[in-house]
Structure formats: structure tokens, C-alpha cells
Amino acid sequence: MTAKLKSQGVGQRQTLTLSLFLLIQTVGMVFFVGDVISDFRENPASVHFVFEATVTAALILGILFGTVELRRMIELLQSQEQALEVARGALGDVIDRQFQNWGLTPAERDVGFLALKGLDVAEIAELRGAAQGTVRAQLTRIYSKAGVSGRAQFAAFFVEDLLGQGVA
Amino acid sequence: MASPQTRSHVTLWDPIVRITHWGSAGIVLTNALITKGGSVPHVYLGWGLMALLLLRLVWGGLGPRAARFSAFPPNPVAALRHLRDLVAGRVREYPSHNPAGALMVYAFWAMLALVVATGLVMTGGATPMQVARDKAAVESGDWSVLIKESDGESSGEDEEGFRDGAEEVHEVAANLLLFFAALHVGAVLLESRALRRSLVAPMLLGERRK
């Protein structure tokens, strides 16, 4: 979860940087084009005009390339996010089904989810407004129903599933 | 667990859309209310506005889906339907601008283009640097710039009349822009209330979460 937020933050910072860069280029381009046009009116044959016109043309090309690149970056970020959403939904389904197979009660399912998310007993107890002893007892029951030795194996159960199926 | 669904159709505006939106808004307000027409800062900002508009229009052709013109074609019938829905209080989410908002966007762009074009006519297409140079020259007592200028438009009164006309259009377009802006702000508030989410936050931060 945090890793995902971080990588997205980086992507978003990159698109913002590239956008600002494009903006500066465009502002520069507009002024250059204005200058080139007035130079053209004065003396179209001068070296100054030819040179400046070439530079401006290069700038315009750069802006177009930058635009396409930025669009590609934004679309890549969006598709990554979508893939993540799908994967998250799929994993949620897998967990739901497995919990049902194990015959967990609704309360145990909730606690199981929170435990998978990495919350410790105290946090789960606080979230659910229950005593820590209750949560500990629920976790023990979950582990025994799942036939795992403890929290590490419980979490590994689903990760192993993912790795086995080769879902990236 | 229910959040991904509500989240997925909240539009995420990309940085170019956001920068050009707030940049144009800022420049229009500043040039309409603060800077003096024809002054050097006014012309500088006008050229900046031209750059923003240009960038946004290029982005409308080459940008990602939500920013492209094809995502919000001008459709008055759909716009009316949307307004009727809004009055009835049952609006739906759109992947880009809603149909009424789309018309507003095109109206804005048309007015911005008009304001920029007439501004260029009024200054004879001079860059802000030239305007500043000419002004400095006149202030230092060198009136030759003015003579050269009036020499340049040797076609005389026609040109003069053309510039006066441009000035009229410039003012009308600027006032229309302010009127549109007020309309736009009102619509955003109404729509935000109908959709029960802030439409301003995504435009400010590009935020996707609720």
C-alpha cells in the first residue's frame, strides 16, 4: 500500500515536472515566434532571422515531442493504476473465497482481513472496539481453522498462492 | 472496499489541464481588473495567455483521453439534457467535462482566442519587449518611434478604423470572459453539491481520492 503510494507519487511528480517544463518551453516559443515574425518583416534575408527561425522551429518540435512523451507517461501511470485495481480486486476475491472455505464467521473474517493487512492485536482490538483477549482468541481460531501455525504462515498462504499462479 | 467504485469515475485532471486552467483564470482576472490596458505588464500577461491557450489546444489534440477534444465534443442537445438533470438534482458522472461544461469550455476558448487576437491587432503584433522599448523611447523624448509607427501604417484611416474596431471587440470579449467566469463558478458550486463531491479539488490537486 505504502509502496504503491510512493511509486505513484514519484510518477506524479515526474508528470508535473515535465508539464512545467513544457509550459516554460511554450511561453518561450510564443515570444520567439513573435520576435521571428517581426524580424521577418524587417529583413527576411538576414543571418539573424534565419538562425532565429531555425532555433524556434527546433523549439516547436521539442514541444511537440515533449507533449507526446507526457501523454504517454500519464497514460502509463493510469494503466498501472488500473492493473493494480484489478489485481487488488482479484486478491480480495481469492481471500474472500478462502475464508469461506475455512468456514470463518463474519467477525473472524474481519479480523483475518485486518491481520493480513498487517495490523497487530492491539490495533485490531481498537478498530473493532473489542478487548485484546477477544481478538487474540479469534486469531487463534482462524489459525487453527486454516491449519497454519501462526500469523507468518497465515499471510504466506495467500502470497504463496499469488507466486504459484505467477501473477505479477 | 466500496471506495474503488466511487473513486474510479472521479476525473483526474492532468497537470497541463490544471496549469493552463488556473494560469488563464489568473491572467484574465489580473488583466481585466488590475493592469492598465496597453501597459507593458498587460501585454506581457496577454502573451503568456496566448502561450497557455496554445499549449491547451495542442494538448486537446495530443493529450491523454480526458483532456482531448474527442472526450467532450460540443453537443448542445446533451448540454440541455444535462442542465435539466441538474435542475432535477440527478446528475451523473462523466469521464471528462460534462456536456454543459464542455460548451462552457469551448466558449471560453473562443473568447480567449478573440481577446488575444484583438490584443495583437491593437499592439500591431509587437512583442512585449518591443512595446517596452518603444514606451521607454517615447518617455525619454524620442518620438521617432511613433512617427515610424504611423509611417508603417501608410494605408492610413483603414488601419486606424480596424484597430478601433479591434479595441471594441477586445473589451466586449474581456467582459464576456468575466461573465463566463462567474457563470462557471456558479455552475461548479451547483454541480459539486449535486454530485456530493468537490469539483474544485481535482482541478487544484489532480486528486483522485474522494
Side-chain angles (χ1 to χ4, degrees):
Chain A
M1 191 69 179
T2 43
K4 172 227 157 195
L5 286 179
K6 232 176 267 166
S7 77
Q8 260 206 338
V10 170
Q12 238 137 48
R13 226 171 307 130
Q14 276 175 342
T15 53
L16 185 63
T17 311
L18 190 52
S19 301
L20 287 175
F21 195 61
L22 260 180
L23 175 72
I24 294 168
Q25 275 186 312
T26 314
V27 172
M29 185 269 282
V30 163
F31 283 95
F32 262 98
V33 167
D35 205 35
V36 164
I37 290 174
S38 71
D39 284 348
F40 177 78
R41 280 202 213 142
E42 271 168 32
N43 183 8
S46 71
V47 179
H48 175 79
F49 165 74
V50 174
F51 184 70
E52 226 175 56
T54 314
V55 170
T56 307
L59 188 54
I60 293 173
L61 267 184
I63 291 172
L64 289 180
F65 279 127
T67 309
V68 172
E69 188 53 37
L70 179 59
R71 176 251 196 94
R72 218 173 274 156
M73 196 191 272
I74 288 173
E75 283 179 346
L76 185 72
L77 273 178
Q78 281 171 347
S79 71
Q80 275 174 352
E81 200 178 320
Q82 258 166 17
L84 203 71
E85 203 101 310
V86 169
R88 202 183 293 138
L91 181 59
D93 287 348
V94 169
I95 293 172
D96 256 343
R97 219 170 310 129
Q98 195 54 253
F99 280 8
Q100 266 176 7
N101 285 348
W102 286 334
L104 301 191
T105 65
E108 285 168 354
R109 264 182 244 169
D110 281 354
V111 172
F113 256 120
L114 295 175
L116 279 181
K117 284 194 167 229
L119 274 65
D120 64 25
V121 173
E123 286 167 328
I124 296 175
E126 203 191 316
L127 259 179
R128 293 180 51 78
Q132 293 196 14
T134 317
V135 174
R136 217 168 279 126
Q138 282 169 323
L139 280 174
T140 313
R141 243 174 297 140
I142 293 170
Y143 299 153
S144 83
K145 279 182 183 176
V148 296
S149 63
R151 170 179 286 238
Q153 236 185 34
F154 178 57
F157 188 94
F158 295 99
V159 177
E160 198 193 341
D161 230 23
L162 279 182
L163 293 175
Q165 283 173 7
V167 177
Chain B
M1 279 280 116
S3 58
Q5 277 195 336
T6 37
R7 216 198 291 160
S8 57
H9 38 109
V10 175
T11 314
L12 175 81
W13 295 115
D14 62 64
I16 294 285
V17 170
R18 284 182 278 144
I19 291 170
T20 52
H21 171 261
W22 293 110
S24 318
I27 289 178
V28 165
L29 285 181
T30 313
N31 261 1
L33 307 175
I34 299 173
T35 62
K36 207 168 133 282
S39 66
V40 176
H42 188 94
V43 178
Y44 260 111
L45 286 175
W47 278 65
L49 179 62
M50 175 158 63
L52 288 173
L53 182 62
L54 215 64
L55 181 61
R56 182 61 186 91
L57 293 182
V58 169
W59 199 234
L62 299 178
R65 210 176 320 128
R68 242 175 292 162
F69 303 132
S70 55
F72 52 99
N75 183 346
V77 179
L80 279 179
R81 201 183 315 129
H82 179 82
L83 287 182
R84 218 176 309 131
D85 286 354
L86 184 61
V87 171
R90 49 181 165 86
V91 280
R92 43 174 282 230
E93 296 270 5
Y94 292 87
S96 183
H97 300 287
N98 71 57
L103 280 193
M104 183 96 261
V105 171
Y106 288 110
F108 264 121
W109 285 339
M111 278 313 119
L112 288 173
L114 197 59
V115 137
V116 167
T118 48
L120 282 175
V121 169
M122 284 158 68
T123 52
T127 59
M129 292 76 116
Q130 285 171 316
V131 172
R133 221 181 301 132
D134 291 354
K135 273 205 181 353
V138 170
E139 240 150 66
S140 68
D142 175 11
W143 292 71
S144 61
V145 209
L146 292 182
I147 297 166
K148 197 178 79 190
E149 210 171 69
S150 53
D151 239 17
E153 39 182 84
S154 46
S155 43
E157 272 158 36
D158 258 14
E159 188 101 5
E160 195 72 17
F162 189 55
R163 281 193 191 187
D164 284 349
E167 197 172 339
E168 296 279 323
V169 177
H170 194 76
E171 263 163 38
V172 171
N175 285 329
L176 270 179
L177 274 175
L178 292 180
F179 173 65
F180 286 170
L183 214 59
H184 168 61
V185 169
V188 165
L189 292 180
L190 267 182
E191 193 95 3
S192 290
R193 188 188 292 174
L195 287 173
R196 288 197 189 80
R197 69 177 174 93
S198 168
L199 290 174
V200 182
M203 190 47 96
L204 257 183
L205 313 161
E207 194 70 356
R208 186 179 265 257
R209 266 153 284 145
K210 275 211 304 176

